[in-house]
Amino acid sequence: MVSKLGEMLVKAQLVTDAQLDEVIKIQRREGGKLGSIVVRQGFCSDQDIVSFLGMQYGVPAADLEQWPPIDPGVIALIPKDLAQRHKVLPLQRTGNVLTLAMSDPTDIFAMDDVRFHTGYNVDPVVSSEMGLARAVEKYYGGASAVRLADGTLARNAQGGAGGGSSASGPTAASVANAFNAEDEHFELSDLEQELDADAEFDSPEEDEDSVNVGSLKKGSEDAPVVKLVNMVLIDAIKRGASDIHIEPYEKNYRIRFRIDGILMEVMRPNLKLKDPLTSRVKILAKLNIAERRLPQDGRIKLRVNMGGKQKVIDYRVSILPTLFGEKIVLRLLDSDKLMLDLTKLGFEQESLDRWDRQISKPYGMVLVTGPTGSGKTNTLYSSIAKLNTVDTNILTAEDPVEFNFPGINQVQMKEQIGLNFAAALRSFLRQDPNIILVGEIRDFETAEIAIKASLTGHLVLSTLHTNDAPSTINRLMNMGVEPFLVATSVNIICAQRLVRRLCPNCKAVDAHPQPEEALYTVGFTPEEVQRGITFYKPVGCEACNKRGYKGRVGLYEVLEMSETLKDMILTGASAIELREQAQKEGMITLRRSGCRKVLDGVTTIEEIIRETVL
């Protein structure tokens, strides 16, 4: 690229061969971009370099000296430290596209960092490095200096030299600088280091049975890969993501975050980074980097300073071989997000009263059901936190142990050595427990032992994967549990879902009239429709990152076992019949729980329709 620019300048007779040789010698000795050295030596003007850079990179060129004044609102999209670090300047915004002046429009790390921070797609234009340095000082002000690629500083009129770390928290500049083998934490600091956009990674085409481990490990330790992985892990925390999806395809590579239950694409790294990035994640999770044919599971623990507060974040790592490479999913476990107050989870008062009544009993089975990511663990943890007293022996069998609680004996399952839920439960019964928590009932053996424990004076809490509360009964019987055991052991079943909560700062009244028939179809009662319902809609503001939603709230369907329901189970009643009887006895369904949240202005009809059925 550099030599091509030099050839262009010579061909246009802007520099001589002798001058180009002199510039190349300086570049080899001091480093830096050829265009900046040519201008600094006085061989041609900044404007000449800009036009040739446009031809060299094949993108539009922007002469910032002649550019119209930039809207302050556009400048505010990118903080000063980010603009200085990457030598970029936002010029204008059209829809969700941000036009960005760059000294190197091939710098994918700079563009991805800007995408991360702003949420906009980037349309790069090229400008000279020195022109960008002057423009950054012009629009951002202050006495800071912009460091050029050759290490020299482009200062403002006052000549002040800048420094300091990012005010917006660690992003691409966050790097792992130490590994504490004693507690297996990676320390993350806010060191500002340049990302080398021209770095090449070893990505040889190899037969999947013949893996060059040394090459994979070397590529995974290259600075750009380390910084990119750290940037992704940190940005997921800052955005409040619950999961990170890193997905390889035939011709592209993408990273998505699940934020408030919705997946959204955040960046598309170069396909060359696929193998080094995967290896880097495997190394952090202590997995086998040479194994690319089988699924693997691991864990990463990071200790990081966020807003002056040190916190520990756990990432559960799952690696799955796919057609075009290994897909990585990391689930974030942030103890700060764990809410242990049952009254704040979203239970309706009558449902909460039923739940409290049953978890306070000395024996029986308490079940929480729902899909992955529906908040089951939070509900169980909140329940045992309420029951955790000095005179109670609580034992938990979990896979994995997501959060640690003082006063509770938690056991991590290890299938590879035979420590599964059934084995742990057998051992628990010899540990004089009062309360047992089983992470999940997956098979007949676990279900049988859990039910027998609940029938012999222990309170057993666990989870299943079912669609609603009544169908949990059928699920247990499908596993092979006898109906009379289900009827006598199960105290209460809670089915739950999570829906996005409207941002309280920007939600607005939706004045659009809703047809009455449609409201009846959704699940609102005639009384509610006749009385009039105020609907709210998402708008979007800085607090919610322009999404209109911030956080999530639970929908709960609580089925408390009555004598009538137990008799119906013994006679082989279907899930539909059990549901009808439970509703007669006052059970609030998931859809009705959602309708209540809409009436309270907490969420929208679209959210409850997406997560529930009538």
Side-chain angles (χ1 to χ4, degrees), residues 18-221:
Q19 290 172 330
L20 179 60
D21 289 340
E22 181 183 345
V23 168
I24 291 174
K25 288 178 183 177
I26 295 173
Q27 186 183 38
R28 287 172 179 168
R29 186 173 63 249
E30 301 176 4
K33 293 185 181 295
L34 184 140
S36 297
I37 299 172
V38 169
V39 174
R40 199 168 70 238
Q41 293 298 110
F43 296 150
C44 64
S45 69
D46 216 28
Q47 290 77 14
D48 293 331
I49 293 297
V50 170
S51 60
F52 278 97
L53 284 173
M55 289 187 283
Q56 179 192 10
Y57 288 112
V59 298
D63 182 357
L64 298 182
E65 298 291 339
Q66 307 297 324
W67 195 268
I70 304 171
D71 186 345
V74 173
I75 293 293
L77 292 173
I78 297 179
K80 180 179 180 180
D81 70 285
L82 192 149
Q84 290 177 332
R85 184 165 65 248
H86 291 308
K87 296 180 279 294
V88 299
L89 186 73
L91 300 181
Q92 63 187 32
R93 182 176 69 84
T94 306
N96 69 336
V97 177
L98 182 67
T99 301
L100 189 70
M102 308 177 67
S103 62
D104 180 4
T106 65
D107 187 347
I108 60 168
F109 293 101
M111 288 189 278
D112 285 338
D113 213 357
V114 171
R115 281 195 206 100
F116 265 122
H117 191 89
T118 64
Y120 295 117
N121 293 324
V122 173
D123 181 23
V125 298
V126 68
S127 185
S128 72
E129 192 175 23
M130 296 184 73
L132 268 168
R134 288 191 293 268
V136 166
E137 288 307 309
K138 172 184 174 183
Y139 286 103
Y140 287 96
S144 297
V146 179
R147 187 172 295 277
L148 303 180
D150 61 357
T152 60
L153 295 179
R155 303 173 187 271
N156 63 358
Q158 285 74 26
S165 62
S166 169
S168 60
T171 53
S174 299
V175 293
N177 65 347
F179 172 65
N180 186 337
E182 199 169 19
D183 60 5
E184 296 185 343
H185 286 56
F186 292 92
E187 291 282 352
L188 295 185
S189 66
D190 294 333
L191 297 176
E192 292 191 350
Q193 299 187 19
E194 294 289 345
L195 290 172
D196 183 4
D198 298 322
E200 293 292 333
F201 301 96
D202 292 330
S203 182
E205 292 294 329
E206 297 169 340
D207 183 81
E208 55 180 19
D209 289 325
S210 172
V211 182
N212 187 335
V213 178
S215 175
L216 285 175
K217 191 167 184 178
K218 181 181 183 299
S220 71
E221 293 171 351

Side-chain angles (χ1 to χ4, degrees), residues 98-339:
L98 182 67
T99 301
L100 189 70
M102 308 177 67
S103 62
D104 180 4
T106 65
D107 187 347
I108 60 168
F109 293 101
M111 288 189 278
D112 285 338
D113 213 357
V114 171
R115 281 195 206 100
F116 265 122
H117 191 89
T118 64
Y120 295 117
N121 293 324
V122 173
D123 181 23
V125 298
V126 68
S127 185
S128 72
E129 192 175 23
M130 296 184 73
L132 268 168
R134 288 191 293 268
V136 166
E137 288 307 309
K138 172 184 174 183
Y139 286 103
Y140 287 96
S144 297
V146 179
R147 187 172 295 277
L148 303 180
D150 61 357
T152 60
L153 295 179
R155 303 173 187 271
N156 63 358
Q158 285 74 26
S165 62
S166 169
S168 60
T171 53
S174 299
V175 293
N177 65 347
F179 172 65
N180 186 337
E182 199 169 19
D183 60 5
E184 296 185 343
H185 286 56
F186 292 92
E187 291 282 352
L188 295 185
S189 66
D190 294 333
L191 297 176
E192 292 191 350
Q193 299 187 19
E194 294 289 345
L195 290 172
D196 183 4
D198 298 322
E200 293 292 333
F201 301 96
D202 292 330
S203 182
E205 292 294 329
E206 297 169 340
D207 183 81
E208 55 180 19
D209 289 325
S210 172
V211 182
N212 187 335
V213 178
S215 175
L216 285 175
K217 191 167 184 178
K218 181 181 183 299
S220 71
E221 293 171 351
D222 285 345
V225 176
V226 172
K227 294 167 188 172
L228 178 61
V229 171
N230 290 334
M231 178 177 70
V232 171
L233 296 180
I234 291 297
D235 202 68
I237 301 170
K238 291 166 62 179
R239 290 182 178 226
S242 61
D243 300 87
I244 303 169
H245 291 242
I246 304 174
E247 303 164 315
Y249 297 98
E250 184 178 12
K251 295 183 179 178
N252 58 66
Y253 195 40
R254 73 176 179 181
I255 297 177
R256 295 189 291 173
F257 289 171
R258 187 179 294 278
I259 302 174
D260 293 337
I262 304 297
L263 275 172
M264 53 184 65
E265 186 176 308
V266 293
M267 68 184 294
R268 286 183 178 247
N270 193 303
L271 199 56
K272 289 181 181 180
L273 297 174
K274 180 179 69 174
D275 288 340
L277 193 151
T278 301
S279 298
R280 176 63 182 168
V281 173
K282 285 182 178 180
I283 288 170
L284 293 178
K286 301 188 182 303
L287 299 177
N288 182 0
I289 64 172
E291 179 56 74
R292 299 196 291 187
R293 299 167 299 175
L294 295 174
Q296 296 188 70
D297 294 303
R299 190 169 186 171
I300 299 172
K301 186 173 282 190
L302 292 174
R303 186 167 58 224
V304 59
N305 284 312
M306 300 290 287
K309 177 185 175 185
Q310 190 174 81
K311 62 194 298 187
V312 175
I313 307 292
D314 278 346
Y315 299 82
R316 284 166 52 185
V317 182
S318 173
I319 296 180
L320 179 71
T322 66
L323 191 60
F324 299 108
E326 292 172 288
K327 173 176 177 176
I328 304 171
V329 175
L330 300 97
R331 167 155 289 191
L332 279 72
L333 304 175
D334 186 351
S335 58
D336 287 353
K337 291 186 176 181
L338 185 64
M339 189 180 295

Side-chain angles (χ1 to χ4, degrees), residues 383-394 406-408 434-435:
S383 300
I384 61 171
K386 185 173 183 178
L387 301 171
N388 185 17
T389 58
V390 70
D391 59 347
T392 304
N393 180 20
I394 302 177
I408 296 175
N434 299 107
I435 299 170

Side-chain angles (χ1 to χ4, degrees), residues 395-410:
L395 295 166
T396 76
E398 304 173 62
D399 186 18
V401 175
E402 297 189 1
F403 300 103
N404 302 324
F405 292 92
I408 296 175
N409 305 284
Q410 297 171 273

Side-chain angles (χ1 to χ4, degrees), residues 499 518 522 555 591 604-613:
V499 295
V522 169
L555 309 182
R591 176 57 65 88
T604 61
I605 291 179
E606 291 78 12
E607 282 295 298
I608 65 168
I609 291 175
R610 180 171 60 84
E611 287 291 340
T612 65
V613 295

